[in-house]
Amino acid sequence: AALPPPATLPITCPLPLPTSSPPPRLDLAHAVSLLCGAEGLQRARAVAAADATPLRLETSGGSGEGGDGYLLLGPKQFELSQPSLLARKLTELRGSDRELAAFSASAECALPLEELPLAFPPSYAYREGKGDGTPPDEAGWCDLLASKRCPAWCDRVLMDRTGGALVAASAVTAEYGHEPQPRVLTDHNQVYLAFSVESR
């Protein structure tokens, strides 16, 4: 679907006061609750502190009405038996993203930042060597994911207010998207922001 005209940049994050530690870049609890329900999240929280072995959680809405999929969750493990579930819940999964807030809270950020709405799949983490050389279809990105991390939007195009004004003044609708890899060479997909700037 086409992005809305960039007259306004609705996703903004004002510069917060310095904190002792930055917020997490991903709300893992939100992602687990989305995929496995409240009971799955409760079980994960109860076991996580006591056991480092992967935990098998039933997913909600996995296969058919009843669903018989599962999530293996553990240290450096986030493996879905039915990866296509992520595509079906992609809009809700974006609610797990905390990347902009985390970066804005870091010492490297000196100005408030903003970006266009995220309307593409997670840019991380993909498994090197996957893919047959043909561009994946709309939901095909799920089958290229690695099983080490919860999928996340780690690659972004962020702007200060001056950059945001340039994008808003674009003569064509700005396009904020990603470049899926036909054959995965790196665990990150490239993202891009395309817009026009009038030369003077």
Side-chain angles (χ1 to χ4, degrees):
L3 292 174
T8 59
L9 299 172
I11 301 179
T12 63
C13 186
L15 184 65
L17 294 174
T19 57
S20 57
S21 59
R25 296 163 61 182
L26 177 79
D27 187 345
L28 182 59
H30 179 275
V32 172
S33 178
L34 173 67
L35 298 170
C36 304
E39 290 185 4
L41 175 59
Q42 186 176 20
R43 184 174 170 225
R45 282 176 165 163
V47 174
D51 192 352
T53 59
L55 178 65
R56 178 170 170 149
L57 302 170
E58 293 183 2
T59 54
S60 55
S63 175
E65 292 298 325
D68 59 359
Y70 61 86
L71 166 67
L72 289 179
L73 183 65
K76 292 191 176 181
Q77 185 166 18
F78 192 95
E79 182 176 355
L80 282 165
S81 63
Q82 299 168 342
S84 60
L85 179 61
L86 290 168
R88 295 197 293 275
K89 297 196 173 187
L90 180 59
T91 299
E92 296 93 332
L93 184 63
R94 292 191 187 106
S96 304
D97 175 66
R98 300 290 183 270
E99 189 78 19
L100 179 55
F103 183 75
S104 293
S106 69
E108 291 84 2
C109 183
L111 294 170
L113 297 173
E114 54 193 23
E115 70 177 331
L116 290 178
L118 290 172
F120 50 86
S123 64
Y124 173 86
Y126 293 89
R127 180 174 296 173
E128 295 178 24
K130 278 198 168 187
D132 58 7
T134 58
D137 59 22
E138 186 174 354
W141 59 272
C142 299
D143 297 322
L144 304 179
L145 289 168
S147 58
K148 59 182 180 179
R149 300 287 188 190
C150 178
W153 288 263
C154 297
D155 306 272
R156 313 284 275 270
V157 179
L158 306 180
M159 302 163 283
D160 61 13
R161 289 170 181 166
T162 301
L166 286 174
V167 174
S170 175
V172 298
T173 300
E175 183 179 356
Y176 187 26
H178 77 130
E179 290 284 352
Q181 302 175 73
R183 186 179 300 280
V184 181
L185 301 177
T186 174
D187 54 1
H188 289 259
N189 274 348
Q190 292 183 342
V191 302
Y192 64 87
L193 173 61
F195 63 99
S196 67
V197 178
E198 182 179 353
S199 60
R200 296 180 180 177

